[in-house]
């Protein structure tokens, strides 16, 4: 019987001009381990190299949608880099749209891809992928510890939510223009996708240890986004 | 010299099970007239036939992203229907993504397309297309007269804005969960694209007469979304 | 060992503006049952929604080949609707040509598709698909009971053939311009494909019960088209 | 203003193992001349090299649809050979379906292609292309002088029609299983396409001289297929 | 567990205007036998039919890269011919680039393809394919017995190497402009790919018997190209 | 009349982690100027960012052909960066193979692309593109001043050739394993393409000033590779 699918969004911060092979290898070892239990679909962000190309292109006069496409291209380059350590365990190309995702998961291999559509964060894209592939959970491995009640960078007493209802999360995002300390984490499209599909989601700080704990050992970390019944 | 480009989002309400050829012909005659002055890029919605397929598919168990893809397919069928009356004046296929849009506009012909990406309204897609093709304005021909200060369906005294700043519009959308009476008109992504690219946009009630007035005769109608300097 | 393949052409009459989810679900339940014994390749027609778009487009001035392409697009929309109830049992996209069919059947999943080529009925296309995939039989589920010796709508005494040689069928079609009561059922290309590949074929009235009887329980129904030795 | 389009089906007999460059050059010179007055769309047959591959593949066990695909591939190889002498006057690739044809004619260059769809003769495909591109006439350059009232190979007194109504032509084809002496010339699909689109068509013996006379100098040759009013 | 992969380059000399079905069948029988032990990836050359099209096209004025593309097209036609005898044991299409190769090998079926890229011999392409798919060996079945120390056609005393270091082979090729008697066998790109990936390779005279001996029965034949430690 | 085409290979050294927008703008200004006289086809290398991804991927275990594909991807990212400053003067996508190049040049716009095929340097690819598009000259803008008679880095007295026959250049490359000081400049495939197509080529140190001098002002620089009559 086919394994259950999970989607893991990997923060683009893993990919930078000073990325070391050691860090990448730790991630691919972990992904192999995960693949013993689930069919993982990994979505990589663009990170600093994307920002480098985007900043230069914007200065050169490229329109914002064009910049989105550039960011997507770099995220696929990052995806290919991660695939380098997985050989035949991994689907050999990075899917470019939801139809290619649907066909790729047929192979029952590990899927690694980047952003798919302009005008959409890789978070939102990850949520769509989870929805389309019937994934049982969306693990959002980010640069912060989870969702706070206020911005932890400016408010020492900010409290990390253990869990938050998706409707409350949407309200926070609407009112504050961004969820405290989590701008970029969970944008409105991601949340609406989570809501419409009742997709379990957890937001937590990305590290090999944390992903292993939360995905493979069932240890609670970060913030669960819950669906009100 | 190549003509300036404009994007017109055509409400899906034009396309339904009782659509008459007369209505479609009026629109194609108008598009031909517009093409004498601009290179129009028309984006059609899915309308009632999309909702028919989506409702059935959802009941059958299709996931929400899959439903988005179904809606996109119907919007392209609608686009092809509109193309039927334009012959060689029109690019012969409906572009499927921003790269195909970019290549199609090279032909300097009329472009007709539908939705492009799951997780995105055709409004948001239209804004991205305007951005990517360097269009000078985004004309959003909708089912209502424009943007109101409260919901005109429940509040008799609701006032139609003649113009509204994009930032105010985003604030309204955040606070009210939808702009009064305009849910579906201008969602958050559309507004953010308009804002980031300083793209002139007007929202007005779709009719052949209104489009002709506003696009070709410079008559003000509906609500202009302005970019604060 | 891979299951044997069969091709089932599903009359487009299943798909209309008043199609109920119950009817579709009965078909998907049946297809699942069939998939326990065979690898089914289902080809859906365009039905009334196709005719709606075609009629309007023709009035608008679209050429006949363009209309064929429109009909094909609607048949794929119908195919997707049917796929909505099959989840991972089904190949995730509707193949667009014979090469895509060949690749899709590799997955050993249920394949659902619509028309493939302009200038060809979905019957003819189904016969080509059966030929290309080495299917053991082509089940043509239509709107009539089978092939008659004269038109049953005008001749009360018309007799339904239990079986008919493909050569006789071709002769009838040539002489009468259409086989009595079966115009659209088996056009000349379908018959020639059946003949050239000695492909077993049966024509019968489409219903969940009939398909189950004929495909799964070996009960004879409608008209077998036989290949003269 | 764009030139009017014509479709010329070139008999595959031009392409064989003993084809001389002189013969090909005569054809490309002629095509260049035609391109001064029209936008020619040339459709090449597969000829003897196609039959060579098809015969071997059939003996090897390939199914008939697969053989059709092989024949199409060789016809495109022949198309490319003809393109070799036309350089930038010619669209640089051979379109593979009607959508690619529609896009290619946008370039206003000479278009050269081969067969497009399995289960269809290149005659039928040529008629579809003429229909789709709004060509003003379909010139069918074949291996015989035109359409006879009986088979000229067996009946010395067979009479060549100067013109024949498409409906009479379809009747002949139905009754005789093939039009006398013209099997392969105009099959039923080609005739039905001609009929449905009221497409002017002429069938004549292929030679550089004949094509020049009939296309460029308005000299009547072969058999005109007329559309009854 | 998936079978190990091997790449076999089949000399184009198998494909000619007088090719007999018997010869092809012997090869497909052999390939089936090999497929019991390995996942074979077969790369076919263009042979005499490619040269026929290339010679004519060059005389017509086609540029050299265009000629490369023509040769590639014929090699795929040859690949399809070989596939005709393999049915469902074989991946149903001939991959057109390395990404398609990578996806095709996922099916664990026999893969048959032709040349992939202009400016590259099928030998070089075969080496790239071996590298990309992690094949354990590249079997180069050619028109000569292996690699000689001088040209055996002019020097009676030419000695066939039993094995040769890839570095020595590259030196010979550099100095002599071609390896004695092996021009076309192993060009510089093939050798550099072999070297950079430490890919075991053997060059030998193509025949069903020889391929069987060397691939299946471990009998040494021709010249092994070894990688210096 | 269409402008004559030229191919300019741009050294990847323009693209690095410290690339400034000023340098890129100087190049796009120059390309615009060139486009007044010619249709330029620019081929960008991968540079240091390619090497960064390649080095990491190799350490991760990616095969060498996979690394080639990674390098090609980065070269297209660089191409897009350069396109950012050219707007509608530039074909909107970076062609991915010779067929896409052929279609793109039809637009008569500036074409910018990167590497096309694994196993081939961007120099070799540039030569193939020049050949395929009928470009009148291949300008190879590199990191060194041209071709020397010995390695200028180790031999102070190395002499820069003003011109060199392509046959002599090939001989040097064979004998020395690389042309002195020009390893990577002109590899064997590039030279063989130049030779087979008698393609004029010049190798010189890349700078805006040098490209302007040599392309627009007819000033001789670097080393001309001549074709012996």
């Amino acid at each position: 019987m086919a394994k259950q699918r999970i989607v893991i969004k990997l923060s683009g911060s893993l990919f930078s001009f000073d990325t070391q092979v050691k860090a990448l290898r730790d991630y691919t070892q972990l992904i192999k381990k995960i693949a013993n239990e689930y069919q993982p679909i990994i979505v990589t962000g663009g990170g600093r190299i994307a920002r480098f190309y985007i900043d230069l292109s914007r200065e050169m006069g490229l329109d914002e949608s064009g910049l989105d496409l550039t960011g997507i291209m770099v995220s696929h380059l990052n995806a290919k880099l991660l695939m380098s350590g997985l050989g035949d365990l991994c689907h050999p190309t990075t899917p470019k749209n939801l139809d290619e995702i649907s066909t790729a998961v047929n192979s029952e291999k590990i899927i690694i891809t980047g952003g798919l559509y302009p005008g959409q964060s890789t978070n939102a894209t990850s949520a769509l992928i989870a929805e389309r592939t019937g994934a049982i959970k969306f693990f959002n491995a980010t640069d912060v510890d989870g969702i706070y009640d206020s911005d932890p960078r400016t408010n020492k007493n900010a409290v990390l939510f253990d869990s938050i209802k998706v409707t409350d999360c949407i309200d926070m995002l609407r009112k504050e223009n961004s969820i405290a300390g989590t701008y970029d984490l969970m944008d409105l499209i991601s949340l609406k996708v989570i809501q419409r599909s009742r997709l379990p989601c957890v937001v937590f700080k990305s590290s090999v240890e944390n992903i292993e704990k939360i995905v493979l050992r069932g240890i609670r970390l970060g913030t669960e986004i819950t669906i009100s019944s």
Side-chain angles (χ1 to χ4, degrees), chain A residues 110-126:
Chain A
I110 299 163
I111 310 297
I112 305 198
T113 193
L116 301 185
Y117 304 123
Q120 249 172 38
S121 69
T122 36
N123 291 318
T125 296
S126 300

Side-chain angles (χ1 to χ4, degrees), chain A residues 43-195:
Chain A
V43 184
T44 57
R48 269 177 57 196
I49 301 177
R51 279 194 295 280
F52 166 78
Y53 274 105
I54 286 172
D55 289 348
L56 273 179
S57 297
R58 183 182 283 118
E59 273 195 85
M60 296 282 287
L62 190 60
D63 63 282
E64 293 290 318
S65 304
L67 298 175
D68 286 352
L69 296 172
T70 291
I72 289 170
M73 239 173 120
V74 177
S75 72
H76 283 261
L77 210 41
N78 291 342
K80 284 209 163 274
L81 179 52
L82 207 58
M83 287 165 60
S84 300
L86 291 166
D88 274 3
L89 297 174
C90 191
H91 184 77
T93 58
T94 60
K96 300 293 184 296
N97 54 49
L98 285 189
D99 273 350
E100 290 188 20
I101 290 275
S102 301
T103 305
V105 292
N106 259 357
S107 68
E108 300 183 14
K109 302 204 167 197
I110 299 163
I111 310 297
I112 305 198
T113 193
L116 301 185
Y117 304 123
Q120 249 172 38
S121 69
T122 36
N123 291 318
T125 296
S126 300
L128 287 171
I129 291 173
E131 193 175 70
R132 189 78 194 90
T133 59
I136 56 166
K137 191 155 189 177
F138 167 23
F139 296 90
N140 194 341
T142 72
D143 299 341
V144 296
D145 288 322
I147 300 175
Y148 287 86
D149 67 346
S150 58
D151 189 339
R153 287 169 303 188
T154 56
N155 177 0
K156 277 189 178 183
N157 302 318
V159 177
L160 181 73
F161 289 110
D162 186 56
S163 75
I164 181 171
K165 286 189 187 167
V166 68
T167 43
D168 292 343
C169 202
I170 289 173
D171 280 350
M172 275 179 67
L173 189 56
R174 283 190 193 293
K175 279 173 202 138
E176 308 293 327
N177 197 353
S178 70
I179 301 175
T182 64
Y183 184 78
D184 272 349
L185 283 204
M186 294 302 300
D187 51 277
L188 206 54
I189 308 183
S190 329
L191 291 171
K192 293 212 150 181
V193 170
I194 285 170
Q195 184 180 33

